[in-house]
Amino acid sequence: MVFRALLLVLLLAPAAPAPAATIGDAAPLAIGETFTIESQVLGETRRINVYRAPGYGAAPDAALPVLYMPDGGIGEDFLHVAGLVQVSVMNGTMRPFMVVGIENTERRRDLTGPTDNAEDRKIAPRVGGSAAFRAFLRDELMPAIDARYATSGQTAIVGESLAGLFVVETFLLAPGLFDQHIAIDPSLWWNDGALLEGLDAHLGGRGDEPGVLFLAHSGQVELAAATARLAWALRAAAKPELRVEYAPMPGERHQTIYHPAALGAFRALFEVPGDEMD
């Protein structure tokens, strides 16, 4: 009985506190680089965020293609797109890329073209600045990236919503600026759908310039209808120098489509050559 009582006391006694864990000092967690560029075209300072996928610098000739992205701030889409590139490169479903994110200052100004629609002009104090933003990319940012990093000469651009509108506009109006274009749920309603209505003239202006356009849309009816119309019109144009990938995603919402659509685009457009998978 004495033994049982002693055992019960031991079982019910509070356990001795575990020694406190030693916790080191916190340090910043960096996934890439950030810098600013003074834009003469836009008359303002722009912040640029850069992620270089694994493989960068592995050899002296390890230049990377560059994926440019509007909405590229740390508090915008940069982190999840950079993460998607990282995991896709690591699992062998896409080639290494450099991601260059352009942080917004006046998003609705930079990503929209001119409009004759009074309702469009209500969305921001200033709209219709896409030509200037494209000039910033072409004349200032892209040369700065080529000067700062080892780049392969291949360029791509990805954007969703108004940024998707900018991607489509760039594909049509600035052939050759980018090799691949990824437009997700593009806001093709802008200016009463003028990009769609003027499609034949825009395609004529491209001449024989090659180009690749990946189009994806969610189940949002207005966006889906316009994107599908653009995809089928481009295919019906029967221009062999153009490659159009069309990926309807009716199960996604406008708020959820970016990540799965970008994943599909990267796998479709940036696949690893077969011999590199062996």
Side-chain angles (χ1 to χ4, degrees):
M1 292 294 293
V2 173
F3 174 78
R4 289 183 179 179
L6 179 59
L7 178 61
L8 183 60
V9 169
L10 292 174
L11 291 174
L12 294 179
T22 301
I23 302 176
D25 294 335
L29 178 64
I31 69 163
E33 300 176 354
T34 185
F35 64 90
T36 59
I37 180 170
E38 298 296 329
S39 172
Q40 300 302 309
V41 172
L42 299 175
E44 62 187 15
T45 302
R46 301 303 295 258
R47 177 160 295 279
I48 308 302
N49 300 307
V50 178
Y51 169 73
R52 295 173 288 179
Y56 182 87
D61 58 347
L64 289 181
V66 184
L67 175 65
Y68 290 88
M69 54 173 300
D71 296 332
I74 294 297
E76 298 167 331
D77 292 318
F78 179 76
L79 287 177
H80 80 85
V81 172
L84 194 59
V85 170
Q86 181 200 35
V87 72
S88 297
V89 171
M90 289 178 64
N91 65 27
T93 54
M94 75 172 284
R95 292 175 281 118
F97 262 74
M98 180 185 306
V99 181
V100 174
I102 305 104
E103 190 169 298
N104 285 311
T105 55
E106 293 186 55
R107 181 177 188 268
R108 293 175 175 180
R109 174 201 67 187
D110 290 342
L111 301 180
T112 59
T115 180
D116 296 321
N117 185 303
E119 291 301 310
D120 289 350
R121 292 194 291 272
K122 292 179 181 178
I123 71 169
R126 294 193 291 178
V127 296
S130 60
F133 185 61
R134 195 158 33 248
F136 161 68
L137 297 181
R138 181 187 62 239
D139 300 334
E140 297 180 326
L141 179 58
M142 296 172 80
I145 293 296
D146 290 339
R148 182 180 286 254
Y149 302 102
T151 59
S152 70
Q154 178 188 356
T155 59
I157 185 170
V158 59
E160 183 256 359
S161 196
L162 283 179
L165 171 71
F166 178 80
V167 170
V168 173
E169 184 187 86
T170 299
F171 172 79
L172 294 174
L173 303 186
L177 183 56
F178 297 98
D179 300 299
Q180 290 92 14
H181 309 72
I182 302 168
I184 301 168
D185 251 4
S187 301
L188 295 172
W189 47 264
W190 183 258
N191 194 21
D192 297 317
L195 278 180
L196 288 173
E197 299 306 324
L199 185 60
D200 290 342
H202 297 322
L203 289 178
R206 286 186 59 93
D208 296 328
E209 181 73 38
V212 178
L213 177 62
F214 183 101
L215 289 167
H217 65 72
S218 67
Q220 189 165 326
V221 176
E222 182 181 19
L223 297 172
T227 306
R229 179 183 168 192
L230 174 61
W232 290 112
L234 288 171
R235 288 179 172 179
K239 292 176 73 68
E241 69 276 9
L242 300 184
R243 173 186 171 189
V244 179
E245 297 280 346
Y246 172 50
M249 297 184 175
E252 298 294 340
R253 294 176 290 114
H254 189 62
Q255 295 85 350
T256 65
I257 190 173
Y258 200 147
H259 204 268
L263 177 63
F266 296 167
R267 290 179 173 179
L269 304 186
F270 309 142
E271 68 274 15
V272 178
D275 56 352
E276 294 187 20
M277 293 292 290
D278 296 337

